[in-house]
Amino acid sequence: MRTGRQVTMLTEGTYPHVHGGVSTWCDQLVKGMPEVDFHLVSLTGTGREPVTWELPPNVRRHRSVPTWGRRPGRRRPPHGRARRRFTAAYEHLLLSFLDPGAGCDFGEALYELAPLARAGLLAPALRTESALRALMWIWTMPHLQTAAARPTVHDALTAIDLLEHALRPLGVRIPRQSVAHAVSSGLATLPALAARRLDGVPFLLTEHGIYLRERYLGYRGTTQRWPVKAFMLGFYRELNSLGYHAADLITPCNQYNRRWEERGGADGDRIRTVYNGVDPSAFPHAGPEPDTPTLTWCGRIDPIKDLETLLRCYALVRAEIPETRLRLFGPVPPGGEAYRTRLEKLAAELGATDGLTFEGRVSEVWRAYAAGHVVMLSSISEGFPFSLIEAMSCGRTTVSTDVGGVREAVGDTGLVVPPREPERMAAAALTLLRDDERRLELGALARQRVVDRFTLRRSVDNFRTIYQELAGQPEVYRPAVETVEDWTEELHDPWYASVATDGTDR
């Protein structure tokens, strides 16, 4: 970039370790700007996840940041002035989302903790007995709902453990001459928030799915007791709001996300919708339909895709058109094997196994859409789904759930039904399977809609302009907090000097 800035792309659980819509978008963006130097910071589980994408030459550096597993670096908790500063900031952080009436500011507390995280001192501080006692004291305040739930010491240990893992990315340093681009809300914003406040690095936030909504959906099925769930959801809620307030620019991939972000406190003047795009030449018209009535689906085998509803829909379609097939294309991500097994058991219970096939990942994705008459999407949360606009580019019409930006993508070229209603989905699929003329007409309109509105070139050009705008703006650095070296006497201890600082950019 002419200004000398680079782009540091921050991901969580996606690119370059996992295939899926967000990863596809990241790869398109990086490869579409060979003139831009990218640094890639990917938040992972253990740090042992393999890189499954071939990174282009303009990815100058890739760093995987594990949020679980053993934490390297310092083991001794802070003491002296550093301990007092930690205690005050930590208690303010807890009060900000556990007791909103206390008037504590989540962002200011987080920024106070950031220098400790960069110095490798935050994790051991959170493991101390004083941190445990502080949480138990706040949790048992008589005016809080958590007091009635009688939280246990085990609950507190669980909550602090989850918080420590969640805050690990706060210690990641971003080069000053960067634009920090978090491609989701939540944990991926932590390094960007710290870099903007402490180093003046511009902060760009892109949301695909609604991160906070997906956290609420995810915690419904966890085994933790209510105080722990309320603790973590409160943390994510405040972090989400801070990202909305602090980002220099927010680029949702659809208007649905924009409305969510504005309700979450984002300034509408700092929001610019940029739709995802596909290359129509890479997803050409799929050609003739198969002889056997076929429904196809393409994505990753994941609970957020609600394939249970799709299987129930399929069973209802087969009751009307027995020869119908359902072909599922896509990988099972690490940790998703149990979900795949659950789907197979459900298919057996529904008597739908003979027409159902799990095809796995396909190298030429357009063939997945060409394999059927109608492309299905049953998700309970989406942003602006690539599987829809790819299928539309291939001239296939779709039946999809009314989530995220689906209606914006499909327009009047497919049928949209409520989520988690297999009967409505089956009725829509049967309508299209029984009406060849309408199905083919909608497919042709779908491809034209992609060509007119959702091309890859348009999407990449928009982000190129945004990067240039942010890279050219004056630095926003304001020394609002002291660095950890300013107020941590024990950093001069020879023991600390002998240990590499965890989280530095090296």
Side-chain angles (χ1 to χ4, degrees), residues 19 26 34 37-38 45 56 127 151 184 227 273 287 297 299 301 339 350 358 377 405 494 496:
H19 284 270
C26 294
D37 288 345
F38 282 86
R127 301 292 186 183
S184 72
T273 301
W297 172 91
I301 308 296
Y339 184 63
L350 296 170
F358 288 85
L377 184 141
Y496 281 107

Side-chain angles (χ1 to χ4, degrees), residues 20 89 167:
L167 287 175

